[in-house]
Structures are given as structure tokens and as C-alpha cells.
Amino acid sequence: MLNLQHVATFVALQQAGSFTGAATRLGLSQSTVSQHIQRLEEHLGRKLIWRTTHAVRLTPDGEALISHARDMLEINGKVSALFNQTRLRGRLRLGISEDFVTSRLTSVLESFIRQHPLVDLELTVDLSGVLYEAQAKGDLDLVLAKRLKDEARGRFLQREPLTWLGRDRHLQLESGAAIPLITYPQPSITRRVAIEALQKAGFAWRIVCTCNSLSGLTAAAAAGMGVLVQPVAMAPAGLVEVEVPQLPALEAVEFVLVPSRGVDPKIVEALWREVEARIGGAAL
């Protein structure tokens, strides 16, 4: 019989992509993570991972195991919940900003659902400003979204610098031409930061594309329509930071967790632990 703790370590290692990341997620030392993987390999008699100086990747046997490992942990969570009446239960209407969803959401939700299967999770994905408006109307229990650095709302998670992104590293513009801006519609925090920075620096600008989804904005930028503003750590694949000395520096934004009044604080804390373990709370 497989040791479920070793299986959980194997899944965490696959998600994190490194022993350091897995150790942080699990609250273990790197040596303990290594021991768990070694013992799992010894038990199965198969090599499960290839480890290099830069990253960790699964072997073919590791790839064959990973889906079964997730299933084992999910079943274990459901059985534990069935016979443990102290487990969290209830409904959570969670709103998450588009930026976070496309880059970091999967591992957070996967772990939360596995550990708290009795919590019914309803997910809404939208712009940060739209989520705050929905929360004010009583439509959301918890929001994970952006705020400006001088705002006080929410529980601070991480500070992210913003950058200008485009298809090419060098933006070709005629002298005095307006900056072609690709942006979310209002109310968008990154839109506001970009426009205020351009106005303050005296740049002319024009909006060439507006879209609610990051995938749509990314497609427009990849087509060479203009520049897009996004957190550095969440830059979509295929886009590069635009090196135009004249473009103004952008303010950083902060990601926060904002609970509504009346939401179960234990559920909020459970989700907070998952987010903090996978994203980190230190300012960049």
C-alpha cells in the first residue's frame, strides 16, 4: 500500500516544479521532500522524476502515476470528510481577477477542493473593479483581486510591478504618434494605471483594442496592434517587455483577499492558506 503522505509530496513536487517550491507548499524541509520521493520510488521500483540543476520533470513512469496520485488524494479527502464532522462545509461564492486565473489558479483550487470537499465553491472570473462592485451588491462572499498600492482594502497577498508588453521588444512609432493601447474596459485597475501614467508623462494615446478577457488582449498584442499592461510575473506567453525609453514607469499593483461580512472566517482562512502557500506573501 502506498504511503499517502509520500503521494501528496509527489503531487506537490509536480505542481511546484522544484523541491524548494514543494517544501514551501507542504511546510517541510527539502531533505524531507527528497526522502518522500525516494521512498515512493523504492516502493514502486520505478524512477519517477528527473532532477536537474534548474528544474524537476516527471519520467514516463511519473507521468503515468500523476493522475492516479491525484485521484488517490481526492478519494482520501472525501472519505476523511465523510467521517469527520469537524471538516469545513458550506458555500463560498468566490470572485477572482482575470490575471490571477490565467497564471496561478489551478493549483490553488485543486488543493482547496481536495482538502475541503464539503465546501461548495462557486467561481466568478472578471475584472477586479467588476468583482468589487458585485461584492458590494452582496453577490460574492470573497474576492481575490488587485488594488492600487495606496488602497487599504483587503488582506495583502503580493505586490506586483506592472510592465508594458507587446509582440516586439521595440515599439516602432512615428515621431509624436499616439501610443496604441490594448486594454480591459472600465473599471480596470491596469487600464487606469496605464492611462494615468501616459497622461502624466504627456503622451498622446489611443485605445486600439478593448476586451474583457486576457486571451483576447493577448491575441491583439501578439498581432502587433499595440501595447498591453500586465503584472510582470503574469505576462502571457508569446509577449515580451517593450523597451521604449520614453514610455513612463508604471505603478505597482497589489493582490489582496477581501472577505464580505458574514462569510465563514474558517473558510476564508482555509483559502488564504492555500493561496499564500502557492503564491507567497512577500512584496517584490
Side-chain angles (χ1 to χ4, degrees), residues 149-168:
K149 68 176 184 179
D150 56 350
E151 290 184 334
R153 81 168 92 205
R155 187 171 178 179
F156 174 81
L157 173 64
Q158 189 172 30
R159 183 173 295 108
E160 292 280 6
L162 295 175
T163 189
W164 302 95
L165 299 171
R167 180 179 66 181
D168 305 309

Side-chain angles (χ1 to χ4, degrees), residues 180-195:
L181 194 58
I182 299 169
T183 180
Y184 291 113
Q186 296 179 336
S188 163
I189 289 178
T190 51
R191 173 190 176 115
R192 174 180 167 182
V193 170
I195 291 176

